[in-house]
Each structure stands twice: as structure tokens, then as C-alpha cells.
Amino acid sequence: MTETTETIRVLLAEDSYVVREGVRALIDTQDELELVGVCGDLPSLIAAVEANPPDVVITDIRMPPDQTDEGVQAAQWLRDAHPDIGVVVLSQYVEEDYALRLFEKGSSGRAYLLKERLGDVDELVDAIREVLNGGSVVDHAVVDALIAARTRQRSPVDELTSREREVLSHIAQGSNNKTIAEKLVLSPRAVEKHINSIFAKLGIAEETDSHHRVRAVLLYMAALNAPES
């Protein structure tokens, strides 16, 4: 992955004056970052992107008009309308369901950070660089919560075969079953069998929601980022 040395153009969407001005001040301390716009709700974020597309959007997870999941909605819209724009979503609390939805269509170019990380400008800048270059960042608190929910000391990812890890890495890149089959020269049925085995080993085969793939990706990312013992 090649990092850019050019100025990174950032659009900030945050309805809290205190947080908005805090992030603005942080961005102003970084020569490589340029704040090209500030908005406080989802409609103005969309309008700002359409008028002057930035390199990266930093957005609160909850904003007007409904104060629910506007940041996730923005990230999903950007995935379709402007796939090259990176997105850093900020959240006040660990909200696993929102994190799952953020990575629903792939983890590339997406970051989920808690607002408490804003005290460390390097962490924010690293996340901006990462999503700009097509990478992804998940706040370790979210990963910890996901792992804790599995109540296992050892990562279940360790139980996967090398082929299953290969399949899971492609899922993490947002590939569908057909694409995985083509890249790994497998039959679609073989890919489906591998994926079912992955879900079973990760303890998510019996879950009834539609986020099996996203949960698997988050567990995979957690294993990749886990410190070596």
C-alpha cells in the first residue's frame, strides 16, 4: 500500500460544537491535512460531498435529522456514490451493531473510532491515512467487546485452516462468493462449504441476523491486530 504525500482534503460532519471545533483544531495542527468543509447533519454532508468531493470524510455516527445512525448511512451512500472517498466514523460509545453495519459492504476505506481517541491526534491522523489508502481501522474497544462476547481466551480464527483464512481474507476485502471462487480457482460450492465451516468455527453459524460475514471479518481483523503472546 503506497501512502500519499499530498495534502489530504477532509470534510468534517459533526453536530456538536465542542467536538467539531476540537477536531478542527486538531486538523489545523497537521500540515498534510486540509479542512475543506464543516457540516452538522446528513443532508448538508451529502450536499457538501457532491459540491466538492473530499479525500476523506470524518463523521459523527449520530447527527440530525434523526440522531440515529446518520454516519453509517453516509458511509453506505459514499460506498455507492463515491467509492474512492475514505470515511472515519466517530462514536461516543462502543456500538457493535453500528460497527457491523459500517463494514457490511467491505472494510476497505472505513474506520470506526471512539471519540475518546481524539485526544491523540496521531491516532486520528493514522486512521485518516489508512482509509485514504483503502485500509481499515476498528477501535480496539469494539474489537474487545466482540471478542468478549465470544467468551474465549484464544481467538477462534486460530482454528481456521490456511484455506479458510484465505477465503476469510477475501471476504474482508468485500468479495462475494463468485469473486472468491474465481480468485482462488475453486468451485462456488467449495467456497460455500468453506464459508459455512468458517462461520461454525467462529461461533456465528447459529446467529439469526444478516451480519455473519461482517462479524467474521471483525474477528479476523482482531486476530490480525492482536499482540503476539
Side-chain angles (χ1 to χ4, degrees), residues 10-25:
V10 177
L11 174 67
L12 173 62
E14 169 62 65
D15 66 316
S16 165
Y17 175 81
V18 173
V19 176
R20 185 169 64 242
E21 292 307 304
V23 175
R24 185 203 295 269

Side-chain angles (χ1 to χ4, degrees), residues 166-179:
E166 219 175 354
V167 170
L168 185 50
S169 73
H170 284 288
I171 294 176
Q173 296 169 38
S175 299
N176 58 28
N177 289 14
K178 182 175 182 293
T179 301

Side-chain angles (χ1 to χ4, degrees), residues 105-169:
K105 294 184 178 180
S107 58
S108 62
R110 296 293 179 266
Y112 184 104
L113 293 180
L114 293 184
K115 289 183 178 179
E116 64 188 59
R117 310 295 175 215
L118 295 178
D120 183 350
V121 65
D122 290 337
E123 192 158 357
L124 176 62
V125 173
D126 286 346
I128 291 171
R129 291 192 192 118
E130 191 68 23
V131 299
L132 174 66
N133 289 288
S136 57
V137 178
V138 183
D139 195 288
H140 65 76
V142 176
V143 173
D144 289 348
L146 192 66
I147 296 298
R150 301 286 168 256
T151 63
R152 298 185 182 183
Q153 292 184 338
R154 191 164 178 257
S155 171
V157 174
D158 295 337
E159 305 300 324
L160 302 182
T161 66
S162 58
R163 175 61 86 183
E164 288 166 349
R165 279 173 170 266
E166 219 175 354
V167 170
L168 185 50
S169 73

Side-chain angles (χ1 to χ4, degrees), residues 175-187:
S175 299
N176 58 28
N177 289 14
K178 182 175 182 293
T179 301
I180 294 171
E182 292 171 352
K183 289 182 177 179
L184 298 183
V185 195
L186 296 171
S187 69

Side-chain angles (χ1 to χ4, degrees), residues 11-222:
L11 174 67
L12 173 62
E14 169 62 65
D15 66 316
S16 165
Y17 175 81
V18 173
V19 176
R20 185 169 64 242
E21 292 307 304
V23 175
R24 185 203 295 269
L26 289 175
I27 291 174
D28 286 345
T29 67
Q30 304 300 305
D31 292 338
E32 68 183 293
L33 303 182
E34 176 189 359
L35 188 62
V36 297
V38 177
C39 44
D41 56 53
L42 180 59
S44 61
L45 185 162
I46 292 173
V49 169
E50 295 287 34
N52 185 20
D55 298 313
V56 174
V57 169
I58 301 175
T59 177
D60 189 7
I61 203 163
R62 291 177 175 169
M63 297 183 294
D66 299 321
Q67 293 286 356
T68 54
D69 62 348
E70 284 77 11
V72 174
Q73 292 179 45
Q76 292 174 333
W77 172 75
L78 286 163
R79 178 73 76 192
D80 295 327
H82 298 273
D84 293 332
I85 295 179
V87 181
V88 178
V89 173
L90 303 176
S91 179
Q92 188 69 38
Y93 310 104
V94 174
E95 298 176 283
E96 182 187 325
D97 288 343
Y98 288 161
L100 293 171
R101 289 182 53 208
L102 176 64
F103 297 107
E104 200 166 29
K105 294 184 178 180
S107 58
S108 62
R110 296 293 179 266
Y112 184 104
L113 293 180
L114 293 184
K115 289 183 178 179
E116 64 188 59
R117 310 295 175 215
L118 295 178
D120 183 350
V121 65
D122 290 337
E123 192 158 357
L124 176 62
V125 173
D126 286 346
I128 291 171
R129 291 192 192 118
E130 191 68 23
V131 299
L132 174 66
N133 289 288
S136 57
V137 178
V138 183
D139 195 288
H140 65 76
V142 176
V143 173
D144 289 348
L146 192 66
I147 296 298
R150 301 286 168 256
T151 63
R152 298 185 182 183
Q153 292 184 338
R154 191 164 178 257
S155 171
V157 174
D158 295 337
E159 305 300 324
L160 302 182
T161 66
S162 58
R163 175 61 86 183
E164 288 166 349
R165 279 173 170 266
E166 219 175 354
V167 170
L168 185 50
S169 73
H170 284 288
I171 294 176
Q173 296 169 38
S175 299
N176 58 28
N177 289 14
K178 182 175 182 293
T179 301
I180 294 171
E182 292 171 352
K183 289 182 177 179
L184 298 183
V185 195
L186 296 171
S187 69
R189 180 169 177 78
V191 171
E192 185 177 345
K193 289 179 65 177
H194 282 306
I195 291 175
N196 288 338
S197 177
I198 290 168
F199 290 163
K201 289 180 180 179
L202 297 185
I204 57 179
E206 301 304 320
E207 295 184 5
T208 57
D209 62 31
S210 60
H211 299 304
H212 293 72
R213 294 173 83 94
V214 187
R215 291 179 189 274
V217 167
L218 288 178
L219 285 169
Y220 175 68
M221 293 170 67

